[in-house]
Amino acid sequence: MKRKNIVGLIAIVAIVAAVIFAGCVEEETPVPTPSPTATTVVPSITITSKSGDEVSWREFVEGTSEGVYGSDLNIYVLVYPTDAGGPWWVQPDVDVLRDGSWETNCYFGRDPKLHPEDKGAHFRICAIMTTEKLREGQQLQKLPDYVVKSETVKVTRD
């Protein structure tokens, strides 16, 4: 009789344990496979104007971008006066269109009426895509953190 009670008790414990642990087993969730038509946009930015050009005091710089329109990313154009050894100057806000094209009216040196010595000065231009907020006229000793950067373009003031 004692043996039957022990066997019965073991059977009950086994059933209770099976019920308890049955809820602990996770089913493997299948990982969705990307559809062949789905595309991931990789952020990119390019300056399409001004490469090797001569520039006036105020000049439009244009370019193209991918992955910025409608995102939390910002595009900034930075101008570096090479002859003066910097700093990087943040240019006016960039207007980005739905197709990713953009432009801004940049400054290259100072007003030629007041500073004719800026004629022939050399500058580097780059565009960056960043989550940071910069302001026009801000001076930077080095480039800020960015998601992506364009190639640097060299220009000369006419």
Side-chain angles (χ1 to χ4, degrees):
M1 177 89 158
K2 227 178 185 185
R3 185 173 246 166
K4 284 185 182 179
N5 286 344
I6 292 176
V7 171
L9 185 59
I10 290 173
I12 290 172
V13 170
I15 292 170
V16 169
V19 169
I20 290 173
F21 291 114
C24 294
V25 177
E26 293 183 25
E27 289 185 27
E28 191 173 312
T29 308
V31 177
T33 348
S35 103
T37 58
T39 57
T40 304
V41 176
V42 177
S44 67
I45 189 165
T46 305
I47 295 175
T48 57
S49 67
K50 301 300 158 226
S51 181
D53 290 346
E54 284 195 343
V55 292
S56 301
W57 172 48
R58 296 290 313 268
E59 193 89 33
F60 274 98
V61 173
E62 302 168 342
T64 60
S65 67
E66 297 248 353
V68 69
Y69 186 84
S71 74
D72 64 344
L73 296 170
N74 306 297
I75 293 178
Y76 294 100
V77 174
L78 305 169
V79 173
Y80 184 90
T82 308
D83 300 339
W88 287 99
W89 288 80
V90 178
Q91 300 304 300
D93 288 342
V94 170
D95 297 321
V96 182
L97 301 178
R98 183 178 294 270
D99 68 358
S101 61
W102 55 268
E103 71 176 11
T104 188
N105 198 3
C106 295
Y107 291 88
F108 295 94
R110 300 167 289 185
D111 183 338
K113 293 175 187 165
L114 302 173
H115 297 278
E117 66 272 17
D118 284 356
K119 182 177 177 67
H122 299 93
F123 297 88
R124 290 187 288 166
I125 312 165
C126 75
I128 61 168
M129 203 180 290
T130 181
T131 55
E132 289 188 37
K133 297 286 186 190
L134 304 177
R135 67 183 189 288
E136 178 181 345
Q138 186 175 351
Q139 299 175 42
L140 307 168
Q141 295 306 316
K142 63 183 184 83
L143 293 176
D145 291 335
Y146 54 82
V147 174
V148 68
K149 174 183 148 322
S150 71
E151 287 190 35
T152 301
V153 175
K154 295 178 181 179
V155 294
T156 304
R157 169 81 177 270
D158 66 4

